[in-house]
Amino acid sequence: MHLFRYSALTYNSHLIHYNDPWTREVEGQPGLLVHGPLTSMLLLDLALRRSPGRTPATYSMRALAPVHLGTPVRLTGRPEPDGARLWVLDADGGALVSAEVRFA
């Protein structure tokens, strides 16, 4: 349901985010894909929760592999003096998304 709502909120009508049969049969994916911008927002939220009161000056992210709905992932990060490095990792510890935030 969250993927459908996020699709509506962002005017993203691509079926890979909310029509599982179409995603599997037409796109050949193992399941629904999580939006890159949604994943990015979750990583930025992680950084902000761990650095209360700080304001982001820059933020960048890179999708390295698809994030499929129902696949266990872990959002994690490493603080740095002026920001943080962030990742979405799969169950084996492989990076699916990497990001970096720098604080003002």
Side-chain angles (χ1 to χ4, degrees):
M1 184 59 76
H2 289 283
L3 293 181
F4 178 79
R5 288 180 179 163
Y6 194 85
S7 291
L9 180 67
T10 59
Y11 301 100
N12 183 336
S13 61
H14 201 303
L15 297 175
I16 60 173
H17 301 300
Y18 59 89
N19 186 317
D20 192 56
W22 190 89
T23 302
R24 291 175 189 275
E25 296 163 14
V26 176
E27 294 286 340
Q29 293 289 325
L32 296 175
L33 277 77
V34 178
H35 301 77
L38 176 58
T39 306
S40 184
M41 273 184 20
L42 293 171
L43 284 175
L44 183 56
D45 182 65
L46 172 67
L48 294 174
R49 287 174 184 264
R50 293 196 176 168
S51 302
R54 298 194 72 186
T55 302
T58 64
Y59 177 77
S60 63
M61 69 82 76
R62 182 174 182 170
L64 305 170
V67 178
H68 291 98
L69 184 65
T71 301
V73 296
R74 182 168 53 107
L75 278 65
T76 188
R78 181 181 72 225
E80 296 189 342
D82 60 344
R85 293 199 181 264
L86 309 156
W87 298 273
V88 175
L89 304 176
D90 65 18
D92 297 323
L96 302 174
V97 178
S98 66
E100 183 175 355
V101 62
R102 295 285 168 233
F103 295 114

